[in-house]
C-alpha cells in the first residue's frame, strides 16, 4: 500500500543523511520508526507479537491453583504479615 507523507525540507534532509550514515533507505527508517511507535503503544507488529501478547494475557487471567496444605490450616494476621516479610513464625 502506498501513502504519501509530507516532511519539511530540514527534516527530510536529516532523514536522508541518517539513511546514508546507516546505509538504510528512507523506507527502512520509516518501518523502524512505525514499529517502535506501535510497540510503545502495545500494538502487536506481526502475528508472532500478537500470539505472544495473547499468551501473556491468558496467563495473567488464569486463576492460580491453591495448594491443599494451605487450604487446610487458616493463618492468623500475624502469620500472614510475617510470611510477607519473609520470616516464618
Amino acid at each position: 500500500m502506498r501513502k504519501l507523507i509530507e516532511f519539511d525540507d530540514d527534516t527530510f534532509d536529516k532523514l536522508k543523511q541518517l539513511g546514508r550514515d546507516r546505509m538504510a533507505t528512507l523506507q527502512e527508517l520509516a518501518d523502524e520508526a512505525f514499529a517502535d511507535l506501535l510497540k510503545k503503544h502495545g500494538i502487536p507488529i506481526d502475528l508472532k507479537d500478537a500470539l505472544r501478547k495473547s499468551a501473556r494475557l491468558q496467563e495473567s487471567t488464569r486463576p492460580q491453583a491453591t495448594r491443599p496444605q494451605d487450604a487446610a490450616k487458616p493463618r492468623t494476621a500475624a502469620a500472614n504479615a510475617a510470611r510477607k516479610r519473609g520470616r516464618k513464625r
Side-chain angles (χ1 to χ4, degrees), residues 3 5 15 17-18 24 27 35 37 39 43 45-47 49 64-66 71 74-75 79 89:
K3 297 289 180 182
I5 298 176
L15 287 171
Q17 184 61 46
L18 179 63
Q27 182 63 51
L37 182 66
K39 183 178 179 182
I43 300 170
I45 298 167
D46 56 10
L47 178 60
D49 285 339
Q64 294 187 1
T66 58
R75 289 196 172 113
R89 283 199 170 172

Side-chain angles (χ1 to χ4, degrees), residues 44-61:
I45 298 167
D46 56 10
L47 178 60
K48 191 174 182 179
D49 285 339
L51 291 173
R52 273 194 204 116
K53 185 175 182 177
S54 175
R56 278 194 305 267
L57 287 174
Q58 286 179 354
E59 191 174 289
S60 67
T61 58

Side-chain angles (χ1 to χ4, degrees), residues 6-59:
E6 189 172 325
F7 297 104
D8 60 79
D9 291 336
D10 187 43
T11 301
F12 186 67
D13 290 339
K14 289 178 183 176
L15 287 171
K16 284 194 310 188
Q17 184 61 46
L18 179 63
R20 280 190 223 113
D21 293 346
R22 294 182 55 192
M23 296 178 60
T25 65
L26 186 60
Q27 182 63 51
E28 290 168 334
L29 294 176
D31 289 344
E32 180 182 346
F34 287 118
D36 289 346
L37 182 66
L38 293 172
K39 183 178 179 182
K40 174 184 170 185
H41 291 281
I43 300 170
I45 298 167
D46 56 10
L47 178 60
K48 191 174 182 179
D49 285 339
L51 291 173
R52 273 194 204 116
K53 185 175 182 177
S54 175
R56 278 194 305 267
L57 287 174
Q58 286 179 354
E59 191 174 289

